[in-house]
Amino acid sequence: MKLNTIVIAKGFVSSLKFVEVVLKNGTEAFEAWENPPAPIYMQFYFFNLTNPMEVLDGDRPAVIEIGPYTYREYRPMEQVDFQDNGTKVAAVNTKTYIFQRNMSRGPESDLIRTVNIPAMTVMEQFKDHAIIANLISSYMKGTGEGLFTTHTVGELLWGYEDGLLKALKTLKPELDDVFGLFYKTNASNDGDYVFFTGQQNYKDFSRVDTWNSKSTLNWWSSDECNMINGTNGAFFHPVITKNETLYMFSSDLCRSLYALYEEDVTVKGIPGYLFSPPSKVFANHTVNPANAGFCVPAGNCLGSGVLNVSLCKQGAPIIMSPPHFYQADEKFVQDVFGMRPKKEEHQTTIVINPLTGITLQAAKRLQVNVYVEKIPTFSVVIDDASARKLKAIVVKQNVVANIPFMLIGLGIVLGGVFMFLMCRQKVPNSTTDEQQPLLSS
């Protein structure tokens, strides 16, 4: 699960000028923010289910990780509009993905056996609608469609026409009959942002003011948990200190989070501070009382290391976590055979040059999980023993885009993604000005 080589980006070394660390036309900071100069790659790792019949008999799922499947990600800021005398800038972050066969385990036509995500999602959505629930059950019996299915990597990521969804569309015309993790998100964005430019205060550089015209969220049960804090994670203000807390807003996680200093590192000779989110960020409320607001509905708290995001994913039963349930309660690791959490492979990290705030290297690692439970209306599909064992069959993905309704159900396939980000800006050097290559590896 290691990305061997990424890209070389070059930047000039010179003395720092704070005027350049402002989002303003003509500055290097703005150019790098508007169109990141270094390539960004997203990699998916899928968990292929190896014992479907045994799972139905009550055994725990056994999975084998397959990947990577690598995509070059283009993420320019578009619809840029400066506001309030240049103190703020509005934009959308459009992302486009291009498959890189030479950096992938196999072609997009590789087959993956996983949970029947559309079926599980509609069963959850319509479990309290007796007529539709009976129709779903009858359709699945008549077609032989069950809890598990096999599709290609390309279909699971970008979409395929699903028979059950197509049948339901006659009753629910608003329902899309195509399912895919990134369906309708290629060449799309995660919402409308307004950022501070840093013109009034350099510490506000690239900090999010509003997202989708809101300065706070409304999914969580406390004001603190609903706060939109920090940047979008791609840029930070200059003069970073080791005792600083770096705040970031993640639309993927539907929340803000923070990272703390871990150690000094170098990236191709450029000094950097490595920051990462501590385990406390995703800890249960008994460990971190501030996280009580993330229990939804209020008081319904999960264990440490997982986050129920169903409210912000239109009701789909999605639970986010680090890959392989890294830093999560041991019970989650034990529920699925094949989970092997490792810090060096599954930890989210950001390496920042402390003087300029330039991101030298970043690895954003996330896992999307769907909770599978016994639903009485659909008892023919999964029995009590299976429900006890099949707690979560996971989909892991490192860069998770905004996921609309039928798409979130992919919480059962696994894809691991590593994002390595390098930004070209000026790095101070007290003696000479020279070209210095930056390599992420």
Side-chain angles (χ1 to χ4, degrees):
M1 293 181 57
K2 184 178 180 181
L3 195 57
N4 295 323
T5 5
I6 299 297
V7 201
I8 296 179
K10 294 183 177 180
F12 290 98
V13 179
S14 68
S15 58
L16 177 65
K17 298 179 181 178
F18 278 98
V19 68
E20 294 184 340
V21 190
V22 174
L23 295 178
K24 180 180 179 181
N25 273 320
T27 66
E28 287 194 1
F30 175 77
E31 291 175 3
W33 175 85
E34 184 180 37
N35 193 13
I40 300 170
Y41 293 93
M42 180 163 64
Q43 294 187 311
F44 292 96
Y45 289 79
F46 290 83
F47 281 173
N48 193 58
L49 182 68
T50 62
N51 64 337
M53 298 306 296
E54 289 80 2
V55 169
L56 292 178
D57 287 337
D59 289 345
R60 65 172 176 164
V63 296
I64 295 177
E65 187 174 86
I66 298 177
Y69 296 91
T70 305
Y71 294 81
R72 169 79 183 270
E73 178 183 315
Y74 297 87
R75 51 186 308 169
M77 290 290 186
E78 298 181 336
Q79 302 175 33
V80 176
D81 178 33
F82 286 95
Q83 302 174 354
D84 295 352
N85 296 318
T87 62
K88 298 178 183 179
V89 58
V92 297
N93 194 194
T94 303
K95 298 177 183 178
T96 303
Y97 306 97
I98 306 297
F99 184 61
Q100 307 292 301
R101 177 64 181 87
N102 65 327
M103 298 176 67
S104 302
R105 172 192 182 275
E108 290 181 296
S109 58
D110 281 356
L111 293 173
I112 304 294
R113 180 197 289 132
T114 184
V115 171
N116 188 334
I117 302 156
M120 290 306 304
T121 304
V122 297
M123 285 192 289
E124 175 65 26
Q125 290 288 320
F126 299 113
K127 64 183 179 182
D128 296 325
H129 298 74
I131 295 177
I132 297 180
N134 286 333
L135 289 174
I136 293 173
S137 185
S138 298
Y139 177 89
M140 295 183 70
K141 289 179 183 178
T143 61
E145 189 169 341
L147 182 62
F148 307 108
T149 188
T150 300
H151 284 282
T152 68
V153 167
E155 288 172 337
L156 290 171
L157 290 177
W158 311 114
Y160 61 91
E161 185 179 79
D162 181 80
L164 175 58
L165 298 181
K166 188 174 183 180
L168 286 174
K169 192 175 178 68
T170 60
L171 298 174
K172 296 282 186 178
E174 71 278 9
L175 195 64
D176 202 323
D177 58 4
V178 176
F179 167 81
L181 177 61
F182 279 89
Y183 174 55
K184 287 187 177 180
T185 63
N186 206 347
S188 186
N189 63 76
D190 65 339
D192 300 322
Y193 285 87
V194 174
F195 301 91
F196 288 99
T197 63
Q199 179 175 292
Q200 293 180 313
N201 186 333
Y202 76 93
K203 286 194 172 182
D204 282 338
F205 175 77
S206 197
R207 181 166 68 85
V208 177
D209 179 35
T210 63
W211 179 63
N212 288 333
S213 303
K214 296 179 180 179
S215 58
T216 61
L217 308 173
N218 58 10
W219 297 307
W220 310 112
S221 58
S222 73
D223 292 340
E224 182 178 0
C225 291
N226 277 319
M227 294 176 68
I228 295 178
N229 296 325
T231 72
N232 67 349
F235 294 87
F236 298 91
H237 67 77
V239 191
I240 301 290
T241 63
K242 293 182 179 181
N243 61 358
E244 191 163 350
T245 299
L246 298 183
Y247 288 94
M248 293 157 279
F249 169 68
S250 170
S251 63
D252 305 330
L253 291 172
C254 311
R255 59 165 289 184
S256 298
L257 62 156
Y258 62 88
L260 300 177
Y261 167 85
E262 275 203 7
E263 60 179 336
D264 284 29
V265 297
T266 59
V267 178
K268 275 300 180 180
I270 304 299
Y273 290 168
L274 186 148
F275 284 77
S276 66
S279 60
K280 190 176 180 180
V281 170
F282 297 106
N284 184 274
H285 74 294
T286 58
V287 178
N288 181 7
N291 282 348
F294 292 119
C295 299
V296 289
N300 183 25
C301 301
L302 302 176
S304 290
V306 295
L307 177 68
N308 182 354
V309 295
S310 58
L311 287 182
C312 66
K313 304 301 181 184
Q314 301 190 32
I318 295 304
I319 297 172
M320 303 294 287
S321 73
H324 286 246
F325 297 111
Y326 170 69
Q327 291 186 328
D329 287 344
E330 183 63 21
K331 63 181 180 181
F332 297 114
V333 178
Q334 295 302 320
D335 278 342
V336 181
F337 181 81
M339 298 293 98
R340 297 179 178 87
K342 297 179 181 179
K343 178 178 180 178
E344 61 273 17
E345 295 181 358
H346 304 136
Q347 180 187 39
T348 289
T349 59
I350 305 172
V351 178
I352 302 170
N353 176 261
L355 193 56
T356 63
I358 298 169
T359 301
L360 302 177
Q361 177 177 299
K364 181 180 179 182
R365 294 164 173 142
L366 296 175
Q367 178 167 298
V368 185
N369 313 281
V370 64
Y371 186 77
V372 181
E373 62 179 344
K374 163 76 173 180
I375 303 176
T377 312
F378 305 100
S379 57
V380 64
V381 179
I382 180 171
D383 57 22
D384 290 328
S386 298
R388 286 194 299 271
K389 294 291 184 179
L390 194 56
K391 300 284 188 181
I393 295 182
V394 290
V395 182
K396 135 185 120 164
Q397 108 187 84
N398 250 349
V399 180
V400 185
N402 56 314
I403 310 177
F405 166 49
M406 284 319 308
L407 190 120
I408 310 184
L410 195 118
I412 330 149
V413 190
L414 279 131
V417 197
F418 299 106
M419 181 186 75
F420 289 79
L421 171 64
M422 309 249 328
C423 296
R424 179 186 59 193
Q425 283 185 313
K426 294 186 177 180
V427 180
N429 185 303
S430 58
T431 55
T432 61
D433 288 357
E434 61 181 0
Q435 281 197 333
Q436 175 68 46
L438 306 179
L439 175 63
S440 170
S441 61

